[in-house]
């Protein structure tokens, strides 16, 4: 066993490689191979580990769940079902004060869920929701901040690729992490909804105070304008079918896993099938379906290769003792400070790296450290996913907020104002992290009941 | 849009590009087929009370194949995650050199995977009971080789390319849309 000195070397090499723009998967793989070689000093041992990682390391069903969940999301995203759900909710809430903001939050959250990233939703779906809010006289910064918040919530909702990756990296059950994330995600969504309603009541000027902008104000909101205005044309065709399809999707996937009827990978294939049926019902052609499959092939490749390389890195952490060194160092700080340090590292890394890369680099280390600190691994998984999402909302680098603002091309609104209105969801996420750390039962309860 | 990103490629590069596109399409198709197989397994279990035989072995091998069939393409179109926070600030000749070193590391890493899997692949042809293991092993070798070659190609293109790297990556990506 090599000691702390070598552990430092492993992390120093990794940090230098990543900082210099070497692809994270390559950096993990190189450090993994060199780390094992430094200890074993024998190519045959390294060779055996590599071939085992390539052949046995990626056989787990959780690996295939990643492209399958992506396929589900891609079909739904391309079917237009999310827009339908948003229109239906918008119509249902048309007499509720702040209803359009709530519908926008639901729309952006649902799109983030199917796209798998909050920034994709903030950049993409805000183009549909934001003009609707503006037309109702909503304050620009409030509308953008709220939609960014909605986009952040979507990724917390199970099933998600981040959760599957977490399960792979920490060798936990995918289904258990899904179930652990469900209640916290719902609670966060409800709290955020309550915040929107509270703003509506206390500061009506932010939500247009019921007045509508004249056609002058509506002129710059784009071609979506008025096409499916809930007071005029009613709902787009197949809208209710889309709503039922999306509800069925959640019930089948989460219910199937929760009732222990389906393994996550089976639930993912059913989800993909429901997505495909929805897309076909919405008139998606063969060419578009093939395109969706190819897009998933392209998008899942870097994720799967990253997780494959992470397998080698994880072995190196064990063999070199670097993992144990970090774990005892963190454990020495006690649970509150230890957790604080880990979250601080995530927030820092999030300014330069994407969530999956950060997970591949840190999660296996941190998860065992958290276990030694007495933090439940399932609760820690949810804490980690909340923290990685919160990181993308923190000024001045918060990517989700920038994506929302850039998408709608609003030059008249200052980015700091948008950050101000994204602050409530950030506070809710951070409060969720603290609550989960103190009361892990919020996360553990559901998976515990089920098993 | 396509034309503005067009870069003329020498014949060997064009050949490699076709090859990685082909393997990526195969991986994507295999993913879809796998979704159907898993679904059929669930339906069979629900309808007849028993799953289709041997599907977990098939699924395991298929996942290995999907991961490695995608590798060359993911490398070639530079879609692997990384951060540009430091290299983005560097003047481009330095940036280009540093990125090329990074790609060389990638080539070495996948060359190591290729070498490490050579022996297991040879023994897998011996056969044995159950599902043959050799197709997955052959795909690992092919995928690792394609990834290594593509990393070497990226390093070469970086050092000899006509344009600063980061900007040309977007053009590269467009070129490779299947």
């Amino acid at each position: 066993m090599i000691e702390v000195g070598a552990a430092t070397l492993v992390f120093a090499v990794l940090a230098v490689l990543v900082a210099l723009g070497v692809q994270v998967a390559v950096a993990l793989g190189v450090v993994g191979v060199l780390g094992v070689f430094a200890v074993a000093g024998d190519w045959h041992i390294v060779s055996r580990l590599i071939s085992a990682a390539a052949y046995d390391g990626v056989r787990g069903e959780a690996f295939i769940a990643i492209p399958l969940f992506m396929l589900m999301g891609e079909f739904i995203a391309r079917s237009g079902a999310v827009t339908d759900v948003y229109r239906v909710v918008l119509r249902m809430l048309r007499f509720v004060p702040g209803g359009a903001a709530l519908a926008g939050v639901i729309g952006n959250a649902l799109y983030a869920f199917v796209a798998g990233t909050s920034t994709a939703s903030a950049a993409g779906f805000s183009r549909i929701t934001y003009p609707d809010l503006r037309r109702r006289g909503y304050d620009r910064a409030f509308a953008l901040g709220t939609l960014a918040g909605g986009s952040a919530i979507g990724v917390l909702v199970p099933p998600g690729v981040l959760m599957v990756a977490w399960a792979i990296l920490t060798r936990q059950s995918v289904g258990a992490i899904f179930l652990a994330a469900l209640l916290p995600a719902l609670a966060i969504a409800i709290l955020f909804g309550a915040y929107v309603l509270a703003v509506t009541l206390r500061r009506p000027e932010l939500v247009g105070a019921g007045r509508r902008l004249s056609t002058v104000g509506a002129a710059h909101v784009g071609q979506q304008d008025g096409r499916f205005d809930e007071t005029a044309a009613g709902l787009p065709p197949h809208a209710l079918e889309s709503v039922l399809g999306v509800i069925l999707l959640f019930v089948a996937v989460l219910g199937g896993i929760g009732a222990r009827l389906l393994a996550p990978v089976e639930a993912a294939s059913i989800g993909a099938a429901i997505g495909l049926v929805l897309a076909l019902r919405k008139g998606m052609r063969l060419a578009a379906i093939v395109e969706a499959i190819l897009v998933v092939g392209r998008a899942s490749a870097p994720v799967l290769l990253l997780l494959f390389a992470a397998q080698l890195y994880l072995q190196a952490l064990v063999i070199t003792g670097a993992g144990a060194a970090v774990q005892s160092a963190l454990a020495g700080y006690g649970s509150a400070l230890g957790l604080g340090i880990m979250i601080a590292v995530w927030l820092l890394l999030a300014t330069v790296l994407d969530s999956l890369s950060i997970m591949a680099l840190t999660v296996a280390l941190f998860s065992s450290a958290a276990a030694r600190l007495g933090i439940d691994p399932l609760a820690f998984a949810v804490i980690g996913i909340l923290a990685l999402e919160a990181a993308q909302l923190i000024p001045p680098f918060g990517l989700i907020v920038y994506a929302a603002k850039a998408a709608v091309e609003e030059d008249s609104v200052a980015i700091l104002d948008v950050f101000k209105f994204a602050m409530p969801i950030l506070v809710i996420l951070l409060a969720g992290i603290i609550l989960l750390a103190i009361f892990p039962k919020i996360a553990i309860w559901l998976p515990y009941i089920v098993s | 849009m396509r034309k503005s990103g067009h870069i003329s490629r020498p014949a060997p590069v064009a050949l490699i590009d076709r090859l990685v596109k082909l393997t990526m399409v195969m991986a994507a198709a295999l993913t879809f087929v796998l979704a159907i197989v898993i679904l059929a397994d669930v339906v069979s279990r629900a309808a007849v009370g028993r799953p289709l035989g041997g599907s977990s072995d098939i699924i395991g091998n298929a996942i290995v194949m999907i991961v490695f069939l995608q590798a060359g393409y993911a490398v070639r179109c530079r879609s692997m995650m990384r951060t540009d926070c430091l290299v983005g600030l560097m003047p481009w000749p330095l940036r280009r050199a540093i990125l090329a070193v990074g790609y060389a590391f990638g080539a070495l890493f996948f060359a190591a995977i290729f070498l490490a899997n050579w022996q297991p692949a040879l023994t897998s042809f011996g056969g044995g009971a159950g599902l043959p293991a050799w197709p997955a092993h052959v795909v690992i070798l092919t995928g690792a080789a394609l990834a290594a070659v593509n990393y070497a190609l990226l390093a070469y293109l970086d050092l000899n390319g006509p344009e600063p790297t980061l900007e040309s990556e977007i053009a590269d990506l467009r070129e490779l849309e299947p």
Side-chain angles (χ1 to χ4, degrees), chain A residues 60-431:
Chain A
E61 292 201 336
F63 266 86
I64 198 63
I66 288 178
L68 294 190
F69 279 126
M70 284 181 166
L71 206 53
M72 172 185 95
E74 191 65 29
F75 283 142
I76 297 172
R78 283 164 180 259
S79 72
V82 178
T83 314
D84 287 355
V85 173
Y86 162 66
R87 298 284 173 210
V88 170
V89 176
L90 190 65
R91 189 180 166 86
M92 279 166 57
L93 298 179
R94 65 190 180 280
F95 299 121
V96 177
L102 288 177
V105 167
I106 291 172
N108 271 56
L110 194 57
Y111 196 82
F113 168 76
V114 296
T117 68
S118 304
T119 41
S121 171
F125 208 70
S126 300
R127 281 179 213 182
I128 294 172
T129 45
Y130 179 75
D132 281 342
L133 296 184
R134 281 297 293 145
R135 206 175 324 118
R136 286 165 178 74
Y138 278 62
D139 176 79
R140 290 183 170 90
F142 172 72
L144 285 176
T146 306
L147 293 176
S151 307
I153 292 172
V155 175
L156 310 175
V157 178
V161 168
L162 281 184
M163 294 167 212
V164 180
W166 190 292
I168 290 173
L169 291 166
T170 58
R171 296 184 177 26
Q172 292 188 79
S173 144
V174 177
I177 292 186
F178 284 171
L179 295 176
L182 186 58
L183 283 185
L186 283 178
I188 286 164
I190 290 169
L191 276 176
F192 192 59
Y195 150 77
V196 172
L197 285 178
V199 169
T200 309
L201 296 173
R202 299 195 54 165
R203 297 188 62 188
E205 77 278 7
L206 289 179
V207 296
R211 98 193 132 82
R212 290 186 172 224
L213 284 192
S214 64
T215 45
V216 182
H220 76 123
V221 296
Q223 64 276 61
Q224 288 283 341
D225 187 27
R227 253 178 79 199
F228 291 121
D229 190 35
E230 75 281 15
T231 50
L235 294 169
H238 301 296
L240 290 175
E241 235 170 81
S242 297
V243 175
L244 291 176
V246 170
I247 292 173
L248 177 70
L249 185 96
F250 280 108
V251 170
V253 172
L254 293 178
I257 293 172
R260 297 174 75 83
L261 290 171
L262 297 173
V265 64
E266 296 168 341
S269 74
I270 289 182
I274 295 174
L276 181 59
V277 171
L278 261 179
L280 289 172
R281 289 290 302 165
K282 294 282 292 177
M284 199 155 130
R285 300 293 180 83
L286 184 67
I289 289 167
V290 171
E291 172 68 20
I293 295 169
L294 287 178
V295 164
V296 169
R298 283 206 292 271
S300 62
V303 180
L304 295 175
L305 288 168
L306 179 72
L307 291 172
F308 157 67
Q311 306 284 321
L312 285 169
Y313 166 66
L314 297 189
Q315 283 177 339
L317 287 182
V318 174
I319 292 173
T320 58
V326 170
Q327 286 148 24
S328 25
L330 279 169
Y333 288 109
S335 57
L337 190 57
L339 182 64
I341 291 172
M342 292 188 268
I343 291 175
V345 170
W346 282 330
L347 299 187
L348 200 67
L349 286 177
T351 58
V352 292
L353 279 171
D354 62 288
S355 298
L356 273 167
S357 299
I358 297 172
M359 279 172 55
L361 288 165
T362 62
V363 157
L365 280 174
F366 285 3
S367 188
S368 0
R372 276 182 64 173
L373 288 167
I375 304 169
D376 181 87
L378 278 177
F380 187 68
V382 183
I383 288 175
I385 287 162
L386 293 190
L388 288 172
E389 206 52 29
Q392 300 177 56
L393 288 161
I394 294 177
F397 296 116
L399 269 182
I400 304 176
V401 175
Y402 276 95
K405 182 175 182 290
V408 299
E409 290 162 5
E410 278 282 14
D411 294 331
S412 58
V413 55
I415 191 78
L416 280 180
D417 286 338
V418 186
F419 271 115
K420 193 174 82 187
F421 285 108
M423 200 54 81
I425 183 69
L426 181 58
V427 170
I428 291 172
L429 289 175
L430 295 178

